[in-house]
Amino acid sequence: MGKVAIVKCSEYEEKLVDGKVREAIGLLGGIENFISKGDTVLIKPNVLRASSPEAHVTTHPLVVKSVVKMVQEAGGIPTIMDMTWVGSLHSTKKALAETGLMDVGKELGVEVKGFEENGWVKVKVNGKIFRELYAPKFLMAADKVISLPKMKTHLEGIITGAIKNWFGCVPMKFRRIGHSMSIDEIADAFVDVYLMREPDLVLMDGVVGMEGNGPINGELKKVGLLLAAKDSVELDRTMSKIIGIEDVPMLKRAKERRIGQGEIEIVGEKIEDVITPFKKPVTVAHKIPKTFRRAMMAVMGSGLEINKSKCTKCLDCVKYCPVTAIKFTKWPEIDKQKCILCFGCAEICPVEAIEITASPVKESLQSLRKFLKL
Ligand code: SF4
Ligand code: SF4
């Protein structure tokens, strides 16, 4: 039988959060149940974009800090890693600083990095959508992995909890594939990526969540809870009951695929005592026919271009590319069919000759979407 811990935590005050994180993990048997001395431990919060902790778009740094301290006390060697929705190291580094995670790392002597920094490794998955994915090398190599999602709603996933937190582990190409599918296919894609390397422990920051049109433009919702579990699906099933949104495609797909469907023992607070109904996201995106959306994605998609006036032909990009998508004849050339949009070549180019391009159509649609709060 699975176990999900529900603990009340009324505000982001350091001592309070630290005590409550310890209480939640303690209800699952303590950190020693998950971490052994000498384990390398990847801690993945939700660092969707560069925004301050007060915006509540990302996992709060105090929650991350407490988990890092507990891992250190258990003798583990933690590293905090994530990647933004833009999927470039520049944006990830900015986000890791703005969200307060760099400060956590400095204070506790822990590395804070973007997934892009350690490169990617090909992973076979027995998925419904994906048979093969590229995963961060560190994710696949770490002895233990801890997921720290944020309690929010999501325009495409309906909720962004523990399963969806894992979609942030794959390069842009796979995430873009997801955004051009039907809602059921997207749900399967989320589950496929989650199965690539399931976390060993999940702790959800639900002190202040987000309802409505999350994960960025929703309305803040004070929930006052932390949830913890070993199993991400069981945690999301519990979250969906608490927020009163149980019609969640990725949870339905997980059920049909018999993933995380054991009985759940709730420890700590009872679900019925902490019910906090959330507004559902309102989206029109999935009413647009799939073929039309695929065509739109093709037009809107970002890409990479080599700026020949800057390139010194050092070949670093050719050597780096994890999928050998860069050929060198007279100049480096990117094979767009092979490229997984990890943006690693753009990051390592010593003269910034590889430029990330976004079409004007994409930019105008993004502004329109922001304006309409879609
Ligand atoms: S890394 Fe930059 S400078 Fe070197 S070959 Fe590639 S594009 Fe040119
Ligand atoms: S070409 Fe660049 S962005 Fe594309 S997969 Fe290779 S390193 Fe990544």
Side-chain angles (χ1 to χ4, degrees):
M1 184 187 284
K3 217 182 238 189
V4 177
I6 305 176
V7 167
K8 284 187 181 169
C9 180
S10 58
E11 59 178 316
Y12 293 110
E13 191 281 316
E14 184 156 359
K15 268 195 182 161
L16 178 72
V17 170
D18 194 49
K20 295 298 179 179
V21 167
R22 286 168 192 277
E23 188 181 327
I25 295 175
L27 285 166
L28 302 177
I31 194 74
E32 295 74 17
N33 233 0
F34 302 94
I35 307 296
S36 305
K37 200 166 185 283
D39 277 351
T40 51
V41 183
L42 167 67
I43 296 179
K44 189 215 175 291
N46 181 343
V47 184
L48 179 61
R49 62 177 289 178
S51 64
S52 71
E54 294 71 37
H56 301 294
V57 167
T58 53
T59 310
H60 199 281
L62 288 178
V63 173
V64 180
K65 185 175 178 181
S66 295
V67 173
V68 169
K69 276 166 47 185
M70 290 182 79
V71 169
Q72 288 176 323
E73 288 159 17
I77 306 149
T79 304
I80 302 168
M81 288 182 105
D82 200 4
M83 178 170 61
T84 61
W85 69 336
V86 177
S88 79
L89 186 54
H90 172 74
S91 80
T92 298
K93 281 193 162 166
K94 189 166 177 263
L96 290 169
E98 274 192 39
T99 52
L101 296 177
M102 283 292 186
D103 291 338
V104 170
K106 272 184 208 146
E107 193 181 335
L108 300 178
V110 166
E111 274 199 293
V112 182
K113 299 164 92 175
F115 282 140
E116 303 93 334
E117 286 178 72
N118 282 74
W120 307 89
V121 61
K122 196 191 281 187
V123 183
K124 296 267 175 220
V125 283
N126 188 19
K128 297 277 181 199
I129 303 295
F130 300 116
R131 295 277 167 209
E132 196 173 79
L133 286 163
Y134 276 80
K137 273 187 189 159
F138 198 86
L139 175 75
M140 302 314 287
D143 294 317
K144 300 286 163 53
V145 180
I146 300 179
S147 172
L148 302 179
K150 184 88 179 161
M151 188 184 281
K152 295 188 291 183
T153 46
H154 191 281
L155 281 164
E156 280 162 340
I158 308 302
I159 61 168
T160 178
I163 302 173
K164 175 73 180 59
N165 192 31
W166 243 223
F167 210 54
C169 292
V170 286
M172 189 55 69
K173 179 169 176 177
F174 302 100
R175 287 189 272 160
R176 276 187 54 206
I177 287 169
H179 296 322
S180 63
M181 293 171 176
S182 71
I183 203 156
D184 283 335
E185 287 171 327
I186 292 173
D188 264 324
F190 291 155
V191 175
D192 286 356
V193 171
Y194 161 69
L195 292 175
M196 177 175 83
R197 166 48 156 124
E198 292 176 54
D200 300 281
L201 171 65
V202 197
L203 185 123
M204 177 178 281
D205 170 9
V207 179
V208 177
M210 187 179 283
E211 63 177 354
N213 287 352
I216 293 170
N217 292 319
E219 295 158 53
L220 299 187
K221 181 89 171 182
K222 199 163 180 200
V223 187
L225 292 178
L226 295 169
L227 310 185
K230 176 165 174 42
D231 188 284
S232 296
V233 181
E234 290 173 356
L235 187 136
D236 280 354
R237 284 168 58 201
T238 307
M239 167 194 166
S240 79
K241 285 199 171 106
I242 291 172
I243 68 171
I245 301 178
E246 295 196 54
D247 186 15
V248 179
M250 77 185 128
L251 290 180
K252 276 195 207 154
R253 302 302 296 137
K255 187 172 183 182
E256 281 162 30
R257 293 167 68 172
R258 299 184 186 172
I259 298 159
Q261 297 307 309
E263 251 185 81
I264 302 174
E265 181 194 356
I266 300 292
V267 287
E269 303 294 330
K270 291 185 185 141
I271 292 181
E272 53 270 33
D273 294 340
V274 294
I275 297 278
T276 311
F278 272 37
K279 287 180 203 157
K280 277 187 177 178
V282 180
T283 175
V284 292
H286 299 102
K287 295 189 177 133
I288 300 171
K290 199 166 73 178
T291 41
F292 183 63
R293 275 191 290 119
R294 282 200 170 125
M296 269 173 61
M297 287 304 297
V299 178
M300 289 162 62
S302 60
L304 291 166
E305 266 170 29
I306 312 277
N307 184 334
K308 290 178 185 166
S309 66
K310 287 186 181 172
C311 177
T312 59
K313 303 186 181 182
C314 71
L315 300 187
D316 281 2
C317 56
V318 180
K319 287 179 217 147
Y320 170 84
C321 179
V323 293
T324 58
I326 311 181
K327 276 190 310 191
F328 187 85
T329 45
K330 284 185 182 167
W331 297 96
E333 271 173 42
I334 297 172
D335 179 340
K336 290 192 175 157
Q337 297 302 315
K338 274 182 148 186
C339 172
I340 58 169
L341 288 178
C342 72
F343 299 137
C345 54
E347 302 299 343
I348 58 112
C349 175
V351 292
E352 296 182 359
I354 304 181
E355 292 167 359
I356 300 171
T357 59
S359 80
V361 179
K362 181 182 177 183
E363 279 165 11
S364 354
L365 283 172
Q366 274 177 341
S367 318
L368 182 67
R369 186 175 170 161
K370 207 171 165 192
F371 176 70
L372 294 172
K373 295 207 165 178
L374 285 175

